[in-house]
Amino acid sequence: MAGGGFTDAGDLKRAHLYEYRITSYFLIACMVAAMGGSLFGYDLGVSGGVTSMDDFLKEFFPKVYRRKQAHLTETDYCKYDNQVLTLFTSSLYFAGLVSTFGASYVTRSRGRRASIMVGSVSFFIGAILNACAVHISMLLLGRIFLGMGIGFGNQAVPLYLSEMAPAKIRGAVNQLFQLTTCLGILVANLINYGTEKIHPWGWRLSLGLATVPATLMFVGGLFLPETPNSLVEQGKLDEARKVLEKVRGTANVDAEFSDLIDASNAARAIKNPFRNLFKKKNRPQLVIGALGIPAFQQLTGMNSILFYAPVIFQSLGFGSGAALYSSVITGIALCIAALISMAFVDKFGRRAFFLEAGTEMIIYMVIVAITLALEFGEGKPLPKGIGIFLVIVICLFVLAYGRSWGPLGWLVPSELFPLEMRSAGQSVVVCNNLLFTALIAQAFLAALCHLKFGIFLVFGGLVVIMSAFIYFFLPETKQVPIEEIYLLFENHWFWKRIVKEDNGKFVEPVK
């Protein structure tokens, strides 16, 4: 069986003995930790808006400003094609991918909470440097600090949420990260819409306000409990038991605590978690979680739309204010999609959202490409009705992405890795994600200039490939305890032939 050969949770070890209640302690801890997503989201939203502001362009990119003025009300695919301008956006993600390896060490040895706090401090420094920038080198240095903050935050927050959450609601809890990311994007778009009217320093205010989520994250982090998984990993068993009882709202946690200890004992036997990631028995986690899903999330083209939404809309003939307003609309659509996904992902499952929304995304990309091919010409204004139609289609694309590849691109990888290589695995996830984010960010405006409407067909074709990948290779992980995910691969139609073989011997599950 191809798409149907996927196991459920029926043969797991002690999952049926797990007990929990939703407590205020658990909810507050998860909401505070999830604020780490607002750092990522705010930067995603603010970057594209700032790079479309005239005062910012005049200060740092005068050639782009002059080209923009020459095509102020006309459509022009190449209006913003400047590699130094795109480096302003992508430098953050290149810095983030390098920092993830340091974040892996901190996350494993010092805990998830420590990484979250380091990330908030670095992001704060970067925001100050950007707001005060007087030269392009200072601007890029600030972006590097912001990237380090995102590298640490994106490494730790999805892990924190997945480890704190009971299996039956892990999908919804983990997607708090996506929700706060979306809210960060929306807030950034609203701020850009207001600061665009403040001359000549509105762009400084947009960049400087990134200190607000960083401060909230740091202050909240001071009071965060460490996850039971991390405490067990550090050998703090008594403290781990106490935290587990508090977050589960019951003293009857023997089964779950025993599974955590089993996983920790297996983890201690692993001296090099990065090397262990490449072992045959861990091939599904490597291929699906560390390499496939993080790369595919960026190859949907969605983050390019988020980075450059104001720039895209201006290139399509919208005025500066109208472009930022359109970006606000897409930000609202993203938040709505995140709420939909949170509400239903643990009911319908990860695969259903990936496949259904993927089909929609393919259709919308083709519609955008055909519309631009027929109606979009260099040197002539885009008809108002066509412009509105494009905004609607892009919003529908955002709704599809925002309930599938957006949140699940972080949720599913954070579920797959066993404890012994969870920090290392999440580092590769974040590194791979940020690598493709940076490459797409750096290349998108040049690709838009040279491929024109064809760039949207390229993204549509990539969504076809990634949907097939999910259909054939990803087992359903909903409501499966995080320490027992590995058993799914031992019963999967394709992966079972690989994971049960290690140097010619069958690998027994941890007892």
Side-chain angles (χ1 to χ4, degrees):
M1 193 183 319
F6 303 96
T7 187
D8 57 24
D11 55 354
L12 300 182
K13 296 191 299 178
R14 287 180 279 229
H16 62 289
L17 300 175
Y18 289 13
E19 294 185 14
Y20 74 94
R21 289 188 302 107
I22 303 299
T23 65
S24 57
Y25 181 83
F26 165 75
L27 290 174
I28 292 171
C30 289
M31 286 190 287
V32 170
M35 283 196 301
S38 65
L39 307 184
F40 189 34
Y42 187 86
D43 186 81
L44 276 174
V46 83
S47 299
V50 165
T51 53
S52 72
M53 292 182 186
D54 290 346
D55 293 321
F56 176 81
L57 292 174
K58 282 190 284 188
E59 181 90 19
F60 297 106
F61 304 99
K63 289 183 180 179
V64 177
Y65 173 73
R66 289 193 292 270
R67 188 190 307 159
K68 174 184 172 182
Q69 295 304 304
H71 300 274
L72 194 59
T73 60
E74 298 174 351
T75 58
D76 182 3
Y77 282 108
C78 300
K79 196 182 287 187
Y80 289 90
D81 181 21
N82 181 284
Q83 288 299 294
V84 180
L85 177 62
T86 53
L87 185 62
F88 167 75
T89 296
S90 61
S91 59
L92 179 146
Y93 303 101
F94 284 120
L97 71 88
V98 173
S99 71
T100 56
F101 295 102
S104 173
Y105 172 78
V106 174
T107 302
R108 190 179 190 197
S109 62
R110 302 297 180 185
R112 287 52 166 153
R113 174 175 169 268
S115 274
I116 290 172
M117 296 185 69
V118 170
S120 65
V121 171
S122 181
F123 199 85
F124 184 93
I125 294 171
I128 294 295
L129 287 171
N130 270 357
C132 300
V134 294
H135 189 269
I136 188 66
S137 59
M138 189 174 176
L139 200 65
L140 294 177
L141 180 62
R143 298 293 289 172
I144 289 171
F145 273 96
L146 289 170
M148 291 170 61
I150 285 175
F152 274 81
N154 286 14
Q155 155 82 13
V157 173
L159 282 187
Y160 187 96
L161 295 174
S162 286
E163 290 181 345
M164 291 291 275
K168 290 186 178 180
I169 59 169
R170 187 175 61 244
V173 171
N174 186 277
Q175 289 191 54
L176 285 171
F177 177 74
Q178 177 69 8
L179 179 61
T180 56
T181 299
C182 297
L183 289 172
I185 293 168
L186 177 59
V187 169
N189 285 332
L190 290 169
I191 288 172
N192 283 340
Y193 185 67
T195 58
E196 193 261 343
K197 301 176 178 64
I198 302 175
H199 304 289
W201 51 271
W203 63 271
R204 294 187 185 275
L205 182 59
S206 286
L207 295 176
L209 285 174
T211 57
V212 175
T215 301
L216 292 174
M217 187 70 262
F218 180 80
V219 173
L222 294 174
F223 303 98
L224 272 182
E226 187 53 84
T227 70
N229 310 60
S230 180
L231 291 169
V232 169
E233 193 175 21
Q234 297 173 56
K236 301 176 181 178
L237 299 185
D238 291 339
E239 187 179 351
R241 173 86 189 209
K242 290 177 182 177
V243 172
L244 185 62
E245 290 178 359
K246 289 187 76 173
V247 297
R248 295 293 178 260
T250 177
N252 192 10
V253 295
D254 292 341
E256 186 171 2
F257 191 63
S258 295
D259 278 350
L260 291 181
I261 292 175
D262 285 350
S264 179
N265 290 336
R268 287 196 182 94
I270 303 300
K271 302 302 180 185
N272 191 324
F274 282 100
R275 187 179 300 164
N276 190 58
L277 184 60
F278 290 91
K279 286 187 175 180
K280 211 168 188 181
K281 66 178 181 178
N282 296 321
R283 194 63 48 81
Q285 291 91 333
L286 175 67
V287 173
I288 301 173
L291 301 178
I293 289 179
F296 285 147
Q297 186 192 48
Q298 301 311 312
L299 293 174
T300 60
M302 181 61 212
N303 274 358
S304 297
I305 292 173
L306 293 178
F307 291 148
Y308 300 117
V311 170
I312 291 171
F313 289 129
Q314 284 196 27
S315 293
L316 297 178
F318 290 73
S320 178
L324 289 171
Y325 183 68
S326 300
S327 300
V328 171
I329 294 174
T330 59
I332 293 171
L334 203 54
C335 290
I336 292 171
L339 291 171
I340 292 171
S341 189
M342 285 181 66
F344 297 110
V345 72
D346 287 313
K347 180 179 180 181
F348 296 113
R350 286 61 162 151
R351 282 169 47 80
F353 273 90
F354 271 130
L355 298 173
E356 181 276 328
T359 302
E360 287 189 41
M361 291 162 66
I362 296 165
I363 294 170
Y364 298 140
M365 284 291 97
V366 171
I367 290 174
V368 170
I370 292 174
T371 303
L372 293 179
L374 295 176
E375 298 289 343
F376 190 83
E378 295 181 13
K380 69 175 184 179
L382 192 72
K384 183 178 180 181
I386 298 299
I388 293 172
F389 174 73
L390 285 174
V391 171
I392 292 171
V393 174
I394 288 175
C395 282
L396 291 173
F397 177 86
V398 168
L399 278 170
Y401 170 90
R403 66 178 186 272
S404 60
W405 281 96
L408 300 183
W410 294 106
L411 166 62
V412 174
S414 73
E415 295 178 316
L416 297 184
F417 299 105
L419 183 62
E420 65 265 22
M421 59 179 191
R422 192 166 296 152
S423 295
Q426 186 69 8
S427 284
V428 179
V429 170
V430 176
C431 180
N432 195 24
N433 185 287
L434 292 178
L435 173 63
F436 277 86
T437 303
L439 292 175
I440 295 293
Q442 188 66 30
F444 178 74
L445 291 180
L448 181 65
C449 177
H450 293 91
L451 296 177
K452 299 180 170 56
F453 64 86
I455 187 64
F456 297 100
L457 291 177
V458 170
F459 285 133
L462 289 169
V463 177
V464 172
I465 294 171
M466 62 187 73
S467 296
F469 177 84
I470 294 297
Y471 181 78
F472 287 109
F473 300 117
L474 177 68
E476 182 53 67
T477 60
K478 71 171 182 177
Q479 301 186 5
V480 180
I482 195 169
E483 304 302 345
E484 301 186 357
I485 292 287
Y486 74 96
L487 293 168
L488 297 176
F489 297 114
E490 293 187 358
N491 294 283
H492 185 272
W493 73 275
F494 177 80
W495 295 116
K496 67 182 179 183
R497 293 175 292 177
I498 298 173
V499 300
K500 286 188 176 181
E501 241 181 69
D502 193 28
N503 297 322
K505 297 179 181 179
F506 286 105
V507 179
E508 293 294 332
V510 178
K511 298 293 185 185

